Amino acid sequence: RNDDDDSISHEQLITELRRLRNPEQPVEVVSIAYGEEPDIDLLDEISAEVGGEVIASPDVAELDRLMVEALSRCLARAGTGDC
Protein backbone atom coordinates (compact mmCIF):
# COMPACT_ATOMS: atom_id res chain seq x y z
CA ARG A 1 0.00 0.00 0.00
CA ASN A 2 1.15 3.51 -0.63
CA ASP A 3 1.62 5.43 2.60
CA ASP A 4 3.20 8.46 0.93
CA ASP A 5 0.71 11.31 0.55
CA ASP A 6 2.93 13.06 -2.01
CA SER A 7 3.02 10.24 -4.58
CA ILE A 8 0.50 8.99 -7.12
CA SER A 9 -2.37 6.76 -6.11
CA HIS A 10 -2.63 3.10 -7.03
CA GLU A 11 -5.28 3.94 -9.63
CA GLN A 12 -3.03 6.61 -11.16
CA LEU A 13 -0.16 4.14 -11.28
CA ILE A 14 -2.25 1.51 -13.09
CA THR A 15 -3.47 4.14 -15.57
CA GLU A 16 0.10 5.31 -16.22
CA LEU A 17 1.37 1.74 -16.65
CA ARG A 18 -1.37 1.06 -19.19
CA ARG A 19 -0.50 4.25 -21.06
CA LEU A 20 3.23 3.48 -21.15
CA ARG A 21 2.97 -0.23 -21.94
CA ASN A 22 4.71 -1.18 -25.16
CA PRO A 23 4.67 -4.88 -26.13
CA GLU A 24 7.74 -4.31 -28.31
CA GLN A 25 9.71 -3.05 -25.32
CA PRO A 26 8.34 -4.93 -22.32
CA VAL A 27 9.25 -3.94 -18.78
CA GLU A 28 8.82 -6.52 -16.06
CA VAL A 29 7.98 -5.41 -12.53
CA VAL A 30 9.05 -7.64 -9.68
CA SER A 31 7.46 -6.51 -6.43
CA ILE A 32 9.18 -7.58 -3.24
CA ALA A 33 6.84 -7.58 -0.27
CA TYR A 34 7.69 -8.24 3.33
CA GLY A 35 6.11 -7.73 6.69
CA GLU A 36 3.02 -8.88 8.47
CA GLU A 37 0.37 -7.57 6.05
CA PRO A 38 1.69 -6.67 2.60
CA ASP A 39 -1.07 -5.87 0.13
CA ILE A 40 -0.39 -8.75 -2.25
CA ASP A 41 -3.56 -8.08 -4.26
CA LEU A 42 -2.42 -4.55 -5.15
CA LEU A 43 1.06 -5.78 -6.06
CA ASP A 44 -0.42 -8.58 -8.17
CA GLU A 45 -2.49 -6.01 -10.05
CA ILE A 46 0.62 -3.95 -10.81
CA SER A 47 2.50 -7.02 -12.01
CA ALA A 48 -0.43 -8.11 -14.16
CA GLU A 49 -0.42 -4.77 -15.99
CA VAL A 50 3.18 -5.01 -17.20
CA GLY A 51 4.18 -8.60 -16.60
CA GLY A 52 6.11 -9.71 -13.63
CA GLU A 53 5.50 -11.25 -10.29
CA VAL A 54 5.31 -10.73 -6.56
CA ILE A 55 7.79 -12.33 -4.18
CA ALA A 56 6.79 -12.13 -0.53
CA SER A 57 7.78 -13.09 2.99
CA PRO A 58 6.33 -12.07 6.35
CA ASP A 59 9.86 -11.72 7.77
CA VAL A 60 11.88 -8.57 7.03
CA ALA A 61 15.01 -10.63 7.77
CA GLU A 62 14.23 -12.47 4.51
CA LEU A 63 14.71 -9.30 2.43
CA ASP A 64 18.18 -10.36 1.25
CA ARG A 65 16.84 -13.75 0.18
CA LEU A 66 13.93 -12.12 -1.64
CA MET A 67 16.29 -9.83 -3.55
CA VAL A 68 18.51 -12.76 -4.54
CA GLU A 69 15.45 -14.76 -5.63
CA ALA A 70 14.20 -11.88 -7.80
CA LEU A 71 17.62 -11.38 -9.41
CA SER A 72 18.08 -15.13 -9.92
CA ARG A 73 14.76 -15.39 -11.73
CA CYS A 74 15.72 -12.47 -13.93
CA LEU A 75 19.14 -13.91 -14.73
CA ALA A 76 17.53 -17.26 -15.58
CA ARG A 77 15.51 -15.44 -18.25
CA ALA A 78 18.40 -13.27 -19.44
CA GLY A 79 19.13 -15.46 -22.43
CA THR A 80 15.55 -15.12 -23.63
CA GLY A 81 15.67 -11.32 -23.76
CA ASP A 82 12.96 -11.10 -21.09
CA CYS A 83 15.13 -9.61 -18.38
Side-chain angles (χ1 to χ4, degrees), residues 2-76:
N2 183 356
D3 294 329
D4 183 358
D5 293 335
D6 294 328
S7 64
I8 65 175
S9 69
H10 178 75
E11 292 78 17
Q12 291 169 318
L13 174 63
I14 295 299
T15 298
E16 189 68 5
L17 289 172
R18 287 179 181 152
R19 185 183 74 75
L20 295 172
R21 187 173 191 174
N22 180 350
E24 293 180 21
Q25 295 179 326
V27 174
E28 181 177 327
V29 174
V30 177
S31 298
I32 298 175
Y34 58 89
E36 293 295 319
E37 297 180 28
D39 197 333
I40 300 298
D41 291 336
L42 285 176
L43 296 173
D44 278 336
E45 186 179 353
I46 293 167
S47 293
E49 285 300 323
V50 294
E53 60 189 308
V54 178
I55 300 172
S57 172
D59 186 359
V60 70
E62 294 277 306
L63 186 55
D64 289 347
R65 183 189 63 75
L66 297 174
M67 293 291 289
V68 168
E69 183 177 341
L71 290 172
S72 295
R73 291 180 185 188
C74 183
L75 289 173

Side-chain angles (χ1 to χ4, degrees), residues 74-83:
C74 183
L75 289 173
R77 290 187 304 275
T80 66
D82 289 339
C83 182

